[in-house]
Short mmCIF file of all heavy atoms in Angstrom, two decimals:
data_model
loop_
_atom_site.label_atom_id
_atom_site.label_comp_id
_atom_site.label_asym_id
_atom_site.label_seq_id
_atom_site.Cartn_x
_atom_site.Cartn_y
_atom_site.Cartn_z
N MET A 1 105.32 13.84 91.48
CA MET A 1 105.09 13.45 90.07
C MET A 1 104.61 14.59 89.19
O MET A 1 105.06 14.73 88.08
CB MET A 1 104.02 12.32 90.03
CG MET A 1 103.78 11.68 88.77
SD MET A 1 104.95 10.32 88.59
CE MET A 1 104.36 9.56 87.15
N ASN A 2 103.78 15.43 89.70
CA ASN A 2 103.34 16.63 89.02
C ASN A 2 104.50 17.66 88.81
O ASN A 2 104.58 18.17 87.69
CB ASN A 2 102.21 17.27 89.72
CG ASN A 2 100.86 16.93 89.10
OD1 ASN A 2 100.77 16.30 88.01
ND2 ASN A 2 99.77 17.25 89.81
N ILE A 3 105.33 17.84 89.82
CA ILE A 3 106.37 18.78 89.69
C ILE A 3 107.36 18.34 88.55
O ILE A 3 107.84 19.14 87.87
CB ILE A 3 107.14 18.87 91.07
CG1 ILE A 3 106.20 19.41 92.15
CG2 ILE A 3 108.43 19.62 90.93
CD1 ILE A 3 105.91 20.92 92.00
N GLU A 4 107.62 17.01 88.54
CA GLU A 4 108.55 16.48 87.50
C GLU A 4 107.98 16.78 86.11
O GLU A 4 108.77 17.12 85.14
CB GLU A 4 108.82 15.00 87.69
CG GLU A 4 109.60 14.72 88.92
CD GLU A 4 109.73 13.28 89.18
OE1 GLU A 4 109.30 12.45 88.31
OE2 GLU A 4 110.26 12.87 90.26
N HIS A 5 106.73 16.60 85.95
CA HIS A 5 106.09 16.84 84.69
C HIS A 5 106.18 18.26 84.29
O HIS A 5 106.43 18.71 83.12
CB HIS A 5 104.63 16.42 84.69
CG HIS A 5 103.84 16.60 83.41
ND1 HIS A 5 104.22 15.81 82.27
CD2 HIS A 5 102.89 17.48 83.11
CE1 HIS A 5 103.43 16.26 81.35
NE2 HIS A 5 102.62 17.20 81.71
N ILE A 6 105.96 19.18 85.27
CA ILE A 6 106.04 20.64 84.98
C ILE A 6 107.47 21.02 84.56
O ILE A 6 107.62 21.71 83.69
CB ILE A 6 105.60 21.42 86.25
CG1 ILE A 6 104.17 21.26 86.45
CG2 ILE A 6 105.96 22.90 86.16
CD1 ILE A 6 103.60 21.83 87.80
N PHE A 7 108.45 20.47 85.22
CA PHE A 7 109.85 20.80 84.85
C PHE A 7 110.25 20.22 83.52
O PHE A 7 110.90 20.86 82.75
CB PHE A 7 110.84 20.24 85.95
CG PHE A 7 110.88 21.08 87.17
CD1 PHE A 7 110.81 20.49 88.40
CD2 PHE A 7 111.19 22.44 87.07
CE1 PHE A 7 110.88 21.26 89.55
CE2 PHE A 7 111.21 23.19 88.24
CZ PHE A 7 111.09 22.57 89.46
N ASP A 8 109.67 19.03 83.19
CA ASP A 8 109.92 18.48 81.85
C ASP A 8 109.34 19.37 80.73
O ASP A 8 109.90 19.63 79.73
CB ASP A 8 109.32 17.04 81.79
CG ASP A 8 110.24 16.09 82.48
OD1 ASP A 8 111.37 16.39 82.79
OD2 ASP A 8 109.70 14.95 82.77
N SER A 9 108.11 19.81 81.01
CA SER A 9 107.39 20.65 80.09
C SER A 9 108.12 22.04 79.96
O SER A 9 108.30 22.61 78.85
CB SER A 9 105.92 20.91 80.56
OG SER A 9 105.24 19.75 80.46
N ALA A 10 108.52 22.60 81.12
CA ALA A 10 109.27 23.97 81.06
C ALA A 10 110.55 23.77 80.28
O ALA A 10 110.95 24.69 79.49
CB ALA A 10 109.49 24.32 82.50
N SER A 11 111.24 22.65 80.51
CA SER A 11 112.51 22.46 79.73
C SER A 11 112.25 22.38 78.24
O SER A 11 112.99 22.91 77.43
CB SER A 11 113.11 21.16 80.21
OG SER A 11 114.31 20.89 79.48
N SER A 12 111.16 21.71 77.89
CA SER A 12 110.88 21.62 76.40
C SER A 12 110.50 23.03 75.88
O SER A 12 110.91 23.37 74.78
CB SER A 12 109.70 20.64 76.19
OG SER A 12 110.03 19.42 76.60
N VAL A 13 109.78 23.74 76.62
CA VAL A 13 109.34 25.12 76.17
C VAL A 13 110.58 26.00 76.04
O VAL A 13 110.75 26.73 75.06
CB VAL A 13 108.27 25.75 77.16
CG1 VAL A 13 108.08 27.20 76.77
CG2 VAL A 13 107.03 24.97 77.04
N MET A 14 111.50 25.97 77.02
CA MET A 14 112.66 26.77 76.95
C MET A 14 113.54 26.40 75.79
O MET A 14 114.22 27.19 75.11
CB MET A 14 113.48 26.71 78.22
CG MET A 14 112.80 27.43 79.37
SD MET A 14 112.48 29.19 78.99
CE MET A 14 114.14 29.79 78.70
N THR A 15 113.64 25.10 75.51
CA THR A 15 114.38 24.60 74.31
C THR A 15 113.81 25.25 73.01
O THR A 15 114.56 25.70 72.12
CB THR A 15 114.41 23.13 74.18
OG1 THR A 15 114.97 22.57 75.39
CG2 THR A 15 115.22 22.60 72.95
N VAL A 16 112.51 25.16 72.89
CA VAL A 16 111.86 25.71 71.68
C VAL A 16 112.05 27.22 71.57
O VAL A 16 112.40 27.78 70.57
CB VAL A 16 110.38 25.25 71.69
CG1 VAL A 16 109.64 26.05 70.54
CG2 VAL A 16 110.25 23.82 71.49
N VAL A 17 111.87 27.93 72.72
CA VAL A 17 112.07 29.39 72.67
C VAL A 17 113.53 29.79 72.35
O VAL A 17 113.76 30.65 71.63
CB VAL A 17 111.63 29.95 74.06
CG1 VAL A 17 112.09 31.43 74.25
CG2 VAL A 17 110.14 29.86 74.31
N SER A 18 114.48 29.02 72.95
CA SER A 18 115.88 29.28 72.63
C SER A 18 116.16 29.02 71.14
O SER A 18 116.87 29.77 70.46
CB SER A 18 116.81 28.38 73.43
OG SER A 18 116.66 28.66 74.82
N PHE A 19 115.59 27.98 70.58
CA PHE A 19 115.82 27.67 69.16
C PHE A 19 115.21 28.81 68.25
O PHE A 19 115.81 29.24 67.27
CB PHE A 19 115.28 26.34 68.76
CG PHE A 19 115.47 26.06 67.34
CD1 PHE A 19 116.65 25.67 66.81
CD2 PHE A 19 114.35 26.12 66.42
CE1 PHE A 19 116.85 25.46 65.44
CE2 PHE A 19 114.54 25.95 65.08
CZ PHE A 19 115.80 25.54 64.57
N ILE A 20 114.06 29.23 68.62
CA ILE A 20 113.35 30.35 67.86
C ILE A 20 114.22 31.62 67.89
O ILE A 20 114.43 32.33 66.95
CB ILE A 20 111.92 30.52 68.27
CG1 ILE A 20 111.05 29.34 67.90
CG2 ILE A 20 111.34 31.81 67.79
CD1 ILE A 20 109.70 29.28 68.49
N THR A 21 114.65 31.82 69.15
CA THR A 21 115.63 33.05 69.32
C THR A 21 116.84 32.99 68.50
O THR A 21 117.19 33.93 67.79
CB THR A 21 115.93 33.29 70.76
OG1 THR A 21 114.69 33.38 71.57
CG2 THR A 21 116.73 34.47 71.00
N PHE A 22 117.43 31.78 68.45
CA PHE A 22 118.62 31.60 67.74
C PHE A 22 118.38 31.79 66.21
O PHE A 22 119.07 32.42 65.47
CB PHE A 22 119.23 30.24 67.87
CG PHE A 22 120.33 29.86 67.04
CD1 PHE A 22 121.58 30.34 67.22
CD2 PHE A 22 120.11 28.93 65.92
CE1 PHE A 22 122.63 29.97 66.33
CE2 PHE A 22 121.08 28.61 65.07
CZ PHE A 22 122.34 29.13 65.29
N ALA A 23 117.23 31.19 65.73
CA ALA A 23 116.92 31.26 64.31
C ALA A 23 116.59 32.74 63.91
O ALA A 23 117.02 33.23 62.87
CB ALA A 23 115.68 30.40 64.00
N GLY A 24 115.96 33.49 64.83
CA GLY A 24 115.68 34.89 64.63
C GLY A 24 116.94 35.71 64.48
O GLY A 24 117.10 36.55 63.56
N ILE A 25 117.87 35.46 65.41
CA ILE A 25 119.17 36.26 65.30
C ILE A 25 119.94 35.88 64.07
O ILE A 25 120.55 36.69 63.43
CB ILE A 25 120.03 35.95 66.57
CG1 ILE A 25 119.32 36.60 67.76
CG2 ILE A 25 121.44 36.45 66.45
CD1 ILE A 25 119.90 36.21 69.14
N TRP A 26 119.95 34.60 63.74
CA TRP A 26 120.65 34.15 62.49
C TRP A 26 120.07 34.81 61.33
O TRP A 26 120.79 35.28 60.42
CB TRP A 26 120.57 32.56 62.45
CG TRP A 26 121.30 31.98 61.28
CD1 TRP A 26 122.63 31.72 61.22
CD2 TRP A 26 120.77 31.73 60.01
NE1 TRP A 26 122.98 31.27 60.01
CE2 TRP A 26 121.84 31.19 59.21
CE3 TRP A 26 119.49 31.78 59.47
CZ2 TRP A 26 121.68 30.81 57.90
CZ3 TRP A 26 119.35 31.41 58.09
CH2 TRP A 26 120.40 30.87 57.40
N ALA A 27 118.73 34.77 61.16
CA ALA A 27 118.08 35.49 60.01
C ALA A 27 118.35 36.94 60.03
O ALA A 27 118.57 37.50 58.94
CB ALA A 27 116.53 35.19 60.10
N TRP A 28 118.37 37.55 61.15
CA TRP A 28 118.70 38.98 61.19
C TRP A 28 120.09 39.36 60.69
O TRP A 28 120.37 40.28 59.98
CB TRP A 28 118.46 39.53 62.59
CG TRP A 28 118.85 40.90 62.85
CD1 TRP A 28 118.23 42.09 62.48
CD2 TRP A 28 120.06 41.34 63.43
NE1 TRP A 28 118.94 43.21 62.81
CE2 TRP A 28 120.12 42.74 63.43
CE3 TRP A 28 121.16 40.73 64.00
CZ2 TRP A 28 121.17 43.47 63.94
CZ3 TRP A 28 122.24 41.47 64.53
CH2 TRP A 28 122.18 42.89 64.46
N ALA A 29 121.01 38.42 61.19
CA ALA A 29 122.43 38.68 60.82
C ALA A 29 122.72 38.40 59.34
O ALA A 29 123.58 39.07 58.81
CB ALA A 29 123.31 37.78 61.72
N TRP A 30 121.99 37.50 58.74
CA TRP A 30 122.22 37.21 57.34
C TRP A 30 121.28 37.86 56.43
O TRP A 30 121.31 37.61 55.24
CB TRP A 30 122.21 35.73 57.15
CG TRP A 30 123.39 35.08 57.72
CD1 TRP A 30 123.56 34.49 58.92
CD2 TRP A 30 124.70 34.92 57.01
NE1 TRP A 30 124.84 34.03 59.10
CE2 TRP A 30 125.56 34.30 57.95
CE3 TRP A 30 125.23 35.37 55.80
CZ2 TRP A 30 126.87 34.03 57.71
CZ3 TRP A 30 126.53 35.16 55.52
CH2 TRP A 30 127.33 34.45 56.42
N SER A 31 120.47 38.86 56.93
CA SER A 31 119.54 39.52 56.04
C SER A 31 120.26 40.47 55.11
O SER A 31 121.31 41.01 55.47
CB SER A 31 118.48 40.26 56.82
OG SER A 31 119.07 41.37 57.49
N ALA A 32 119.79 40.65 53.90
CA ALA A 32 120.43 41.46 52.89
C ALA A 32 120.57 42.91 53.30
O ALA A 32 121.44 43.61 52.96
CB ALA A 32 119.73 41.30 51.52
N ARG A 33 119.59 43.44 54.08
CA ARG A 33 119.56 44.76 54.49
C ARG A 33 120.70 45.13 55.50
O ARG A 33 121.18 46.31 55.54
CB ARG A 33 118.20 45.21 55.16
CG ARG A 33 117.09 45.14 54.17
CD ARG A 33 115.80 45.58 54.85
NE ARG A 33 115.49 44.58 55.88
CZ ARG A 33 114.53 44.76 56.81
NH1 ARG A 33 113.88 45.88 56.82
NH2 ARG A 33 114.26 43.81 57.66
N LYS A 34 121.10 44.11 56.24
CA LYS A 34 122.20 44.39 57.21
C LYS A 34 123.58 44.15 56.69
O LYS A 34 124.58 44.57 57.37
CB LYS A 34 122.02 43.39 58.42
CG LYS A 34 120.82 43.77 59.24
CD LYS A 34 121.13 45.09 59.93
CE LYS A 34 120.01 45.58 60.84
NZ LYS A 34 120.34 46.87 61.42
N GLN A 35 123.78 43.66 55.55
CA GLN A 35 125.19 43.36 54.99
C GLN A 35 125.93 44.63 54.84
O GLN A 35 127.12 44.61 55.13
CB GLN A 35 125.03 42.58 53.64
CG GLN A 35 124.60 41.19 53.89
CD GLN A 35 124.67 40.38 52.60
OE1 GLN A 35 124.89 40.92 51.52
NE2 GLN A 35 124.42 39.09 52.74
N GLN A 36 125.35 45.70 54.36
CA GLN A 36 126.07 46.97 54.21
C GLN A 36 126.55 47.49 55.59
O GLN A 36 127.67 47.95 55.68
CB GLN A 36 125.25 47.96 53.52
CG GLN A 36 126.10 49.24 53.15
CD GLN A 36 125.30 50.25 52.34
OE1 GLN A 36 124.13 50.02 52.01
NE2 GLN A 36 125.87 51.28 51.97
N ASP A 37 125.68 47.41 56.53
CA ASP A 37 126.06 47.88 57.92
C ASP A 37 127.17 47.06 58.44
O ASP A 37 128.09 47.62 59.09
CB ASP A 37 124.85 47.72 58.84
CG ASP A 37 123.69 48.73 58.45
OD1 ASP A 37 123.99 49.69 57.76
OD2 ASP A 37 122.52 48.50 58.85
N PHE A 38 127.13 45.73 58.28
CA PHE A 38 128.23 44.88 58.81
C PHE A 38 129.52 45.16 58.03
O PHE A 38 130.66 45.08 58.61
CB PHE A 38 127.79 43.43 58.72
CG PHE A 38 126.74 43.08 59.72
CD1 PHE A 38 125.73 42.17 59.37
CD2 PHE A 38 126.73 43.59 61.02
CE1 PHE A 38 124.73 41.86 60.29
CE2 PHE A 38 125.69 43.26 61.88
CZ PHE A 38 124.78 42.42 61.55
N ALA A 39 129.43 45.43 56.72
CA ALA A 39 130.61 45.74 55.97
C ALA A 39 131.31 47.02 56.48
O ALA A 39 132.49 47.08 56.60
CB ALA A 39 130.30 45.79 54.50
N GLN A 40 130.54 48.00 56.77
CA GLN A 40 130.98 49.26 57.37
C GLN A 40 131.68 49.01 58.75
O GLN A 40 132.70 49.51 59.01
CB GLN A 40 129.90 50.31 57.48
CG GLN A 40 129.56 50.83 56.15
CD GLN A 40 128.38 51.86 56.23
OE1 GLN A 40 127.79 51.99 57.36
NE2 GLN A 40 128.15 52.55 55.18
N ALA A 41 130.95 48.23 59.56
CA ALA A 41 131.52 47.90 60.89
C ALA A 41 132.80 47.11 60.79
O ALA A 41 133.66 47.28 61.63
CB ALA A 41 130.41 47.10 61.62
N ALA A 42 132.91 46.26 59.74
CA ALA A 42 134.16 45.48 59.62
C ALA A 42 135.32 46.37 59.27
O ALA A 42 136.47 46.03 59.49
CB ALA A 42 133.93 44.46 58.55
N GLN A 43 135.09 47.54 58.69
CA GLN A 43 136.18 48.48 58.23
C GLN A 43 136.56 49.42 59.38
O GLN A 43 137.56 50.19 59.22
CB GLN A 43 135.71 49.26 56.98
CG GLN A 43 135.51 48.39 55.80
CD GLN A 43 136.78 47.70 55.42
OE1 GLN A 43 137.93 48.28 55.43
NE2 GLN A 43 136.70 46.43 55.05
N LEU A 44 135.86 49.45 60.45
CA LEU A 44 136.15 50.39 61.55
C LEU A 44 137.51 50.28 62.10
O LEU A 44 138.24 51.27 62.28
CB LEU A 44 135.15 50.24 62.72
CG LEU A 44 133.79 50.80 62.43
CD1 LEU A 44 132.77 50.49 63.60
CD2 LEU A 44 133.85 52.35 62.23
N PRO A 45 138.13 49.07 62.35
CA PRO A 45 139.47 49.01 62.86
C PRO A 45 140.52 49.62 61.87
O PRO A 45 141.57 50.16 62.30
CB PRO A 45 139.74 47.53 63.04
CG PRO A 45 138.42 46.88 63.06
CD PRO A 45 137.51 47.73 62.27
N PHE A 46 140.23 49.59 60.56
CA PHE A 46 141.23 50.12 59.59
C PHE A 46 141.03 51.60 59.43
O PHE A 46 141.89 52.20 58.78
CB PHE A 46 141.02 49.38 58.22
CG PHE A 46 141.16 47.87 58.41
CD1 PHE A 46 140.08 47.02 58.29
CD2 PHE A 46 142.34 47.31 58.77
CE1 PHE A 46 140.19 45.70 58.45
CE2 PHE A 46 142.52 45.98 58.96
CZ PHE A 46 141.44 45.13 58.76
N MET A 47 139.92 52.17 59.81
CA MET A 47 139.75 53.60 59.64
C MET A 47 140.75 54.41 60.45
O MET A 47 141.19 55.49 59.97
CB MET A 47 138.29 53.98 59.96
CG MET A 47 137.25 53.41 58.98
SD MET A 47 135.58 53.85 59.37
CE MET A 47 135.61 55.64 58.95
N ASP A 48 141.09 53.95 61.67
CA ASP A 48 142.06 54.71 62.45
C ASP A 48 143.38 54.72 61.78
O ASP A 48 144.11 55.64 61.83
CB ASP A 48 142.17 54.03 63.84
CG ASP A 48 140.95 54.27 64.72
OD1 ASP A 48 140.18 55.23 64.38
OD2 ASP A 48 140.66 53.54 65.62
N GLU A 49 143.78 53.58 61.16
CA GLU A 49 145.11 53.52 60.46
C GLU A 49 145.10 54.48 59.26
O GLU A 49 146.14 55.16 59.14
CB GLU A 49 145.30 52.12 60.06
CG GLU A 49 145.52 51.12 61.22
CD GLU A 49 145.73 49.70 60.65
OE1 GLU A 49 145.77 49.46 59.37
OE2 GLU A 49 145.79 48.79 61.53
N THR A 50 143.99 54.52 58.60
CA THR A 50 143.88 55.46 57.44
C THR A 50 144.01 56.90 57.88
O THR A 50 144.75 57.69 57.25
CB THR A 50 142.56 55.25 56.69
OG1 THR A 50 142.43 53.87 56.34
CG2 THR A 50 142.57 56.11 55.44
N ARG A 51 143.41 57.20 59.03
CA ARG A 51 143.44 58.60 59.49
C ARG A 51 144.85 58.97 59.97
O ARG A 51 145.34 60.05 59.73
CB ARG A 51 142.42 58.78 60.65
CG ARG A 51 141.01 58.82 60.10
CD ARG A 51 140.04 59.03 61.27
NE ARG A 51 138.66 58.87 60.76
CZ ARG A 51 137.68 58.68 61.54
NH1 ARG A 51 137.81 58.53 62.87
NH2 ARG A 51 136.44 58.49 61.06
N GLU A 52 145.53 58.00 60.63
CA GLU A 52 146.90 58.28 61.09
C GLU A 52 147.83 58.44 59.88
O GLU A 52 148.76 59.27 59.89
CB GLU A 52 147.40 57.16 61.97
CG GLU A 52 146.63 57.12 63.33
CD GLU A 52 147.12 55.98 64.20
OE1 GLU A 52 148.13 55.39 63.83
OE2 GLU A 52 146.44 55.74 65.26
N GLU A 53 147.62 57.65 58.81
CA GLU A 53 148.46 57.76 57.62
C GLU A 53 148.22 59.14 56.96
O GLU A 53 149.11 59.78 56.46
CB GLU A 53 148.15 56.70 56.67
CG GLU A 53 148.63 55.36 57.07
CD GLU A 53 148.23 54.27 56.21
OE1 GLU A 53 147.55 54.46 55.15
OE2 GLU A 53 148.61 53.04 56.51
N GLU A 54 146.96 59.62 57.01
CA GLU A 54 146.62 60.94 56.37
C GLU A 54 147.27 62.05 57.21
O GLU A 54 147.79 63.01 56.63
CB GLU A 54 145.18 61.12 56.30
CG GLU A 54 144.44 60.26 55.30
CD GLU A 54 142.93 60.39 55.28
OE1 GLU A 54 142.41 61.15 56.22
OE2 GLU A 54 142.29 59.72 54.47
N LYS A 55 147.33 61.88 58.49
CA LYS A 55 147.96 62.93 59.38
C LYS A 55 149.53 63.02 59.10
O LYS A 55 150.04 63.96 59.17
CB LYS A 55 147.69 62.66 60.85
CG LYS A 55 146.27 62.87 61.25
CD LYS A 55 146.10 62.56 62.78
CE LYS A 55 144.60 62.78 63.17
NZ LYS A 55 144.40 62.34 64.59
N GLN A 56 150.07 61.78 58.90
CA GLN A 56 151.54 61.73 58.65
C GLN A 56 151.90 62.33 57.27
O GLN A 56 152.93 62.93 57.18
CB GLN A 56 151.99 60.34 58.79
CG GLN A 56 151.96 59.78 60.14
CD GLN A 56 152.35 58.27 60.23
OE1 GLN A 56 152.60 57.68 59.21
NE2 GLN A 56 152.49 57.76 61.39
N ASP A 57 151.00 62.17 56.36
CA ASP A 57 151.27 62.75 54.98
C ASP A 57 151.19 64.27 54.97
O ASP A 57 151.78 64.86 54.19
CB ASP A 57 150.29 62.11 53.96
CG ASP A 57 150.59 60.65 53.74
OD1 ASP A 57 151.70 60.19 54.02
OD2 ASP A 57 149.66 59.95 53.21
N VAL A 58 150.38 64.84 55.91
CA VAL A 58 150.19 66.31 55.94
C VAL A 58 151.37 66.98 56.45
O VAL A 58 152.20 66.81 57.05
CB VAL A 58 148.96 66.72 56.72
CG1 VAL A 58 148.79 68.20 56.83
CG2 VAL A 58 147.71 66.09 56.04
#
């Protein structure tokens, strides 16, 4: 009976910790300070194409 109560409590605690972690990651990803970094990271695949086009033009 005690073991079951401990597992139930541990499950509740892990759910709360997981939710707090998710909320923290979500807040970090949508923070205004990170938007410029993510915009630059989104352009990385296209930077190789631009460099190859510049090499072909030379």
